[in-house]
Amino acid sequence: MDLRDYLRVLSRRWRVIVLLALLGTAVGALTAYTATPRYRADAELFVSVRQGSDTLQLAQGNAFTQARVQSYAEVAASPLVTRHVVETLRLDMTPAQLSRRITATAQPDTVLIRLSVTDTQPRRAARISNAVADRFAEVVRGLERPDDVHASPVRLSVTQPASVPSEPSSPRPAVNLAIGLMAGLLLGAGAAVARESVDRSVRSLQALTDLLAGLGGPPVLGSIPQDARAGRHPVALRDDKHGLRAEGFRRLRTSLRFVDVDQPPKVIAVTSPLPREGKTSVAINLASALAETGASVCLVDTDLRRPSAASVLGLVRDAGLTTVLIGQAEVHQVLQSAGSFSVLTSGAVPPNPTELLGSAQLRAVLRSLAEQFDHVVVDTAPVLPVADASVITNAVDGYLLVVRASRTSRDQVDAALRTLRHVGASVLGTLLNMTSAKEDGGTYGYAYEYRPQRQTSGRLSMLRGGKRAKPAVGAPAALPTPGGEPQAEGVDRDVTLDGEPHSMTAEGSPQR
C-alpha cells in the first residue's frame, strides 16, 4: 500500500478514527478531572569552592565544581537528606516516600542545582523544599570535608528559596486533553488499517474486476451508485431520469446487449449471494431501463420467501405467480402494470417454494411470457441461503449476479458463482450495487456535469404589436418537445443512439 492507499483507508474509516479520538479525549478529560492536584515548589542552590585566590586556582575550582555538581544532584534524594527532613518536620511519610517526591537537576555548564518537591498541599511543598535544600547543603559540605579539616572546601548556598505555589503543577487539563486526543487518533488510525487488512468485502469496481479475473469470469457489467433517495424513489428512470442511478442502469442495459450478440438473453434472472444486497431494486430498474427503449418488458417476482417487488411498486401481491402455478388463474389475469412495464408479482407465500420453482408449470409460465414480451426480468431469491435461484436454471437464459459494495465478501462472490456453475447456470455478468462516490468518484462526475439543463429564457419571445416575433432569417426552427412545446436552441435534449436514448452533452455530442 502506498500513501494514497493509506489516505483512502483513513477517509473510509473516519468514523472509527473520530470515535476513538473522542474516546481518548474523554479519557484525558476524566483523568484531569479525577486526579488529585499536586503542587511543586522549587529551590535553587549555587555550588562554589572556598579556596583559591588567583585566576588559575579559581579556574581549577570552577572546573572541579562543574565536574562534581552532577554527583551532588544524586545526593538530594538520598536517605541522608530525607530521613532528617522527615524527622525534623514530622511528616506522615517514610523517607522512601519523600525521596520519590524530590527531583534534583543540575543545569548544564553551570554550578546551579534546582530542587523540586511535589506535594498535595502547596504550603507543605514549599516547607519541605526549603528543608531539603538546607539539609542537602549540609550533607554535601560534610561529604566534601576532609577528616583533618574543620571547614569544607565546597559551599552550597540557597540562591532562591522555595515559595508557596499558586496553582497545581498537575494535572494539566490542556496537556491531558492533547495527549488523549493524540492517543485516540493513533489508535483510530491503527484500528482503521487493521480493519482494512482483514476486510474481505468488495469495495470498488476495480476490486470486483480483479476478483472475477482471478476466478475466470464472468464480466463486470457496471455499477450503481449509492443514493439516499432510492427508498423514496425506487424506479430511478421514472423519478430521476437523468440521475446517477438512472445512468448506471442504462449502462447495464447496454452491457447486457453485448454479452451474447448471436443469442441475446431474453429471460434474465437477477440474484445475489445474500439478502439485502439490492437485487430487487436492480431487477425493477433493469425492467424499467429495458422498457425505456420501447420494448415490452415483464418483471416476474420468483422470490417466494421474502417477496418485495409488489410492496416497492405499490402493487397487489396476493394474486400472482403462485396463483398461476396452482391453476387458480391465467397469467394474463394477474399481470399488473407498473407504468412502462408489466409485473407478475409473487402471489401468496407458499410452504414449498423450492418445489414450485422447480416445477414444469414455472417453465411453462416463463416460456409463455418470453413469447409475449420482448424481455422478461426474473427477481429470484439469494443464491447461498436457499436453492430457489438454482432450480430455475432451465427456465432462464442467464443470471445477473448483484454484489453489494462494502458488504458482500470475496468468498461469498466465489461461493455464489460456484453454486450457479455447479447446476450448469449461465452467469451473464455481475453488477456492483450501492457503490460509494469516494471509491469510484471518477465514474460519476461526468453525469453531474452533463445533466440536461432546464432553461426558460430560450422560450421567451419579444412581442411586436401584440404578436409573437418571428425568428430571424436563417435561424434554426425550434424543435418540438415530447410535451408539445418548442425547445429552444442550445438546450440539451435526448437523442436516440443505437436504439437507446442518451442525453446530449453541452457540446452536442451524445453521452453514453
Side-chain angles (χ1 to χ4, degrees), residues 126-146:
R127 191 156 50 96
I128 294 175
S129 181
N130 288 324
V132 169
D134 295 337
R135 178 58 180 170
F136 172 56
E138 182 181 346
V139 170
V140 171
R141 287 195 299 267
L143 292 175
E144 292 292 358
R145 184 176 64 244

Side-chain angles (χ1 to χ4, degrees), residues 343-483:
V343 181
L344 179 60
T345 60
S346 63
V349 176
N352 56 341
T354 305
E355 287 74 11
L356 282 179
L357 294 175
S359 63
Q361 288 90 330
L362 177 71
R363 292 193 293 272
V365 169
L366 293 181
R367 186 165 51 251
S368 65
L369 290 175
E371 295 174 354
Q372 182 180 353
F373 294 90
D374 297 326
H375 302 283
V376 178
V377 180
V378 181
D379 180 20
T380 72
V383 176
L384 297 182
V386 292
D388 297 4
S390 304
V391 297
I392 65 172
T393 301
N394 297 330
V396 300
D397 296 332
Y399 289 81
L400 173 65
L401 184 65
V402 178
V403 177
R404 181 171 175 175
S406 303
R407 182 185 180 100
T408 311
S409 70
R410 300 168 184 267
D411 297 334
Q412 292 166 351
V413 174
D414 185 17
L417 290 176
R418 284 190 285 105
T419 300
L420 292 175
R421 289 170 177 172
H422 181 72
V423 296
S426 172
V427 182
L428 304 175
T430 60
L431 176 72
L432 187 62
N433 194 27
M434 302 184 190
T435 61
S436 171
K438 293 182 179 180
E439 295 293 341
D440 297 317
T443 306
Y444 307 117
Y446 186 83
Y448 279 119
E449 291 295 329
Y450 290 85
R451 179 188 295 268
Q453 300 175 358
R454 292 292 180 263
Q455 299 180 359
T456 57
S457 59
R459 294 196 177 104
L460 297 177
S461 60
M462 296 179 62
L463 298 179
R464 296 179 182 176
K467 297 182 180 180
R468 187 179 302 271
K470 297 181 180 180
V473 178
L479 298 177
T481 62

Side-chain angles (χ1 to χ4, degrees), residues 204-488:
S204 63
L205 193 64
Q206 185 60 46
L208 180 59
T209 303
D210 296 340
L211 173 63
L212 295 178
L215 299 177
V220 179
L221 301 182
S223 63
I224 306 299
Q226 176 76 20
D227 191 349
R229 301 170 298 173
R232 301 188 305 271
H233 306 290
V235 185
L237 284 86
R238 180 184 63 193
D239 302 319
D240 187 12
K241 64 182 298 184
H242 299 294
L244 299 182
R245 292 181 66 239
E247 293 297 335
F249 286 111
R250 291 189 181 101
R251 288 194 295 269
L252 172 63
R253 176 188 65 197
T254 304
S255 299
L256 283 172
R257 291 185 173 184
F258 291 96
V259 169
D260 191 343
V261 180
D262 296 331
Q263 295 181 347
K266 192 171 186 179
V267 182
I268 302 173
V270 180
T271 186
S272 61
L274 294 175
R276 297 183 178 180
E277 295 182 337
K279 63 175 183 60
T280 299
S281 174
V282 171
I284 292 174
N285 283 277
L286 175 59
S288 177
L290 293 171
E292 190 182 40
T293 63
S296 58
V297 182
C298 180
L299 172 66
V300 183
D301 190 355
T302 63
D303 188 349
L304 302 184
R305 297 178 187 267
R306 294 181 180 179
S308 57
S311 60
V312 171
L313 296 172
L315 304 176
V316 179
R317 194 195 72 181
D318 295 337
L321 177 62
T322 55
T323 311
V324 176
L325 294 180
I326 62 177
Q328 290 186 351
E330 297 294 331
V331 174
H332 67 274
Q333 295 176 326
V334 292
L335 279 178
Q336 302 180 60
S337 174
S340 60
F341 58 95
S342 301
V343 181
L344 179 60
T345 60
S346 63
V349 176
N352 56 341
T354 305
E355 287 74 11
L356 282 179
L357 294 175
S359 63
Q361 288 90 330
L362 177 71
R363 292 193 293 272
V365 169
L366 293 181
R367 186 165 51 251
S368 65
L369 290 175
E371 295 174 354
Q372 182 180 353
F373 294 90
D374 297 326
H375 302 283
V376 178
V377 180
V378 181
D379 180 20
T380 72
V383 176
L384 297 182
V386 292
D388 297 4
S390 304
V391 297
I392 65 172
T393 301
N394 297 330
V396 300
D397 296 332
Y399 289 81
L400 173 65
L401 184 65
V402 178
V403 177
R404 181 171 175 175
S406 303
R407 182 185 180 100
T408 311
S409 70
R410 300 168 184 267
D411 297 334
Q412 292 166 351
V413 174
D414 185 17
L417 290 176
R418 284 190 285 105
T419 300
L420 292 175
R421 289 170 177 172
H422 181 72
V423 296
S426 172
V427 182
L428 304 175
T430 60
L431 176 72
L432 187 62
N433 194 27
M434 302 184 190
T435 61
S436 171
K438 293 182 179 180
E439 295 293 341
D440 297 317
T443 306
Y444 307 117
Y446 186 83
Y448 279 119
E449 291 295 329
Y450 290 85
R451 179 188 295 268
Q453 300 175 358
R454 292 292 180 263
Q455 299 180 359
T456 57
S457 59
R459 294 196 177 104
L460 297 177
S461 60
M462 296 179 62
L463 298 179
R464 296 179 182 176
K467 297 182 180 180
R468 187 179 302 271
K470 297 181 180 180
V473 178
L479 298 177
T481 62
E485 297 181 359
Q487 186 178 33

